[in-house]
Amino acid sequence: MGSTRFSKSALVAATSALVLLPAGAAYAGSGPATPPSHSQKLAGSTAPSPKGNPASRLAQAAGVCDDAVPIGTRGLIKRGSETIASVKQFYSKKCNENYGYVWVWESFRKTAAPYDITTGVYSYSDDSVHAAKAWKATKQQEFWTDGANTVDHCTSGVGSLRPAGSPHSLQAYSEKRC
């Protein structure tokens, strides 16, 4: 008898809850996302991003052209099995330049002592690193090179991170692009 009373109470509670929900209501995550309008895309964010944002403050300080897009597959800087940073290469059609980019992963950055970073654009055509930049004892997350005049070369973005207390740097490079 007690189980019947419980079943009736549960049924009444569930039915009452359903009555409170309006028919056809949409809830967060319940349907496809509305694509951003053209004006929303143009507004753009200036926030730094793991994907790389050429409109960020540090990208603009390095002179990265606003049409720069990532090219090739990113490289991953690892310490053992832990990924600690991403390395990418960007290309600007408007400025006819390539850029190196390093993003330090938050999981590493939040507990690490200041580290050293280098980044650049490696040219397979002349076996050298162009637009190389270095930062010593930093906790910064986003790193951009200046523009490299290497569009007519086969290139990769290159980067290294030397954790504090380590005698050597860990490095990676993005996919070769020609």
Side-chain angles (χ1 to χ4, degrees), residues 21-25:
L21 295 175

Side-chain angles (χ1 to χ4, degrees), residues 108-121:
F108 172 78
R109 185 174 159 262
K110 70 182 175 185
T111 60
Y115 38 84
D116 298 340
I117 296 283
T118 65
T119 187
V121 177

